């Protein structure tokens, strides 16, 4: 299964479901740039960079647009700063601290200073811990935000998912194989 198929299948699970353990993490696209192409207003520069790198590891750019292309880190910042409750915001921000602390313990430097393989290994570790803990960890929240931000972005909806402008033709009973797995509507 390639990355595009994984995102399409994961999109079918949206609506409160959490994506399967490693369906979106793909080592082939985890090269990260250390620069931001946006100016954070809530996150510090370091936090924004950390969110950008992790989001790009979750949905990498590998022939199709990735999380950064879809401006997912900005979406995450908006959600955390404007929509999250205080307890959700605290959990998310504590998660960012945990990612850097874990990187320091494992590699002697903060997450964004690690090489791409170290970053990928750490993300896999966070994912495994989150799935074993299964109590609303900050990493599962990061994955949800990344997926939702990507699938609801113009790039994600029109270039990666199948796009059907609404209103359109209604076909109520069509086998999934005939429609191509996942749909995005506008």
């Amino acid at each position: 299964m390639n990355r595009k198929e994984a995102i399409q299948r994961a999109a079918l699970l949206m609506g409160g479901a959490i994506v399967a353990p490693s369906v979106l993490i793909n080592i082939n696209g985890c090269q990260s740039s250390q620069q931001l192409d946006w100016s954070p207003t809530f996150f510090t520069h370091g936090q924004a960079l950390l969110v950008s790198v992790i989001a790009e590891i979750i949905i990498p750019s590998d022939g199709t647009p990735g999380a950064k292309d879809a401006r997912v880190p900005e979406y995450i910042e908006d959600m955390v700063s404007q929509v999250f409750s205080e307890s959700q915001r605290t959990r998310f921000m504590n998660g960012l601290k945990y990612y850097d602390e874990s990187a320091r313990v494992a590699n002697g430097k903060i997450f964004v200073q690690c090489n791409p393989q170290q970053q990928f290994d750490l993300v896999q570790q966070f994912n495994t811990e989150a799935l074993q803990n299964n109590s609303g960890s900050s990493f599962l929240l990061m994955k949800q935000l990344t997926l939702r931000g990507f699938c609801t972005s113009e790039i994600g909806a029109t270039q990666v998912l199948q796009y059907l402008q609404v209103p359109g033709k209604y076909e109520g009973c069509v086998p999934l194989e005939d429609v191509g797995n996942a749909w995005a509507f506008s």
Side-chain angles (χ1 to χ4, degrees), residues 155-172:
I155 287 174
T158 60
Q159 295 181 30
V160 178
L161 299 174
Q162 293 185 23
Y163 178 74
L164 175 65
Q165 192 168 2
V166 175
K169 181 177 157 186
Y170 175 74
E171 295 181 44

Side-chain angles (χ1 to χ4, degrees), residues 8-153:
Q8 289 173 337
R9 289 183 185 182
L12 289 173
L13 299 175
M14 287 196 54
I18 297 177
V19 182
S22 60
V23 79
L24 293 178
I25 300 175
N26 182 343
I27 187 91
N28 297 329
C30 67
Q31 297 295 328
S32 62
S33 68
Q34 297 296 312
Q35 302 203 354
L36 292 176
D37 59 353
W38 58 286
S39 298
T41 56
F42 176 76
F43 292 147
T44 66
H45 184 272
Q47 291 167 336
L49 190 57
L50 176 59
V51 167
S52 295
V53 170
I54 292 175
E56 189 68 17
I57 291 171
I58 294 171
I59 303 180
S61 178
D62 64 353
T64 58
K68 286 183 185 177
D69 300 319
R71 306 179 73 87
V72 169
E74 294 171 69
Y75 168 84
I76 292 172
E77 181 186 48
D78 286 345
M79 291 297 291
V80 171
S81 66
Q82 298 175 20
V83 178
F84 276 18
S85 68
E86 191 60 40
S87 65
Q88 289 173 311
R89 187 176 303 118
T90 300
R91 182 174 49 149
F92 187 87
M93 300 305 282
N94 286 341
L96 296 181
K97 291 175 190 172
Y98 175 72
Y99 307 148
D100 275 338
E101 290 169 7
S102 297
R104 267 196 200 96
V105 169
N107 304 305
K109 48 192 161 190
I110 62 172
F111 189 91
V112 297
Q113 293 173 346
C114 293
N115 68 46
Q117 181 62 51
Q118 292 169 327
Q119 291 173 346
F120 179 80
D121 292 343
L122 285 164
V123 167
Q124 279 193 314
Q125 173 190 325
F126 303 149
N127 188 60
T128 301
E129 290 171 0
L131 293 170
Q132 290 172 348
N133 184 4
N134 198 22
S135 62
S137 79
S138 63
F139 188 72
L140 292 181
L141 192 56
M142 172 73 83
K143 283 176 59 174
Q144 279 185 317
L145 287 170
T146 301
L147 179 63
R148 188 172 293 124
F150 185 79
C151 291
T152 60
S153 72

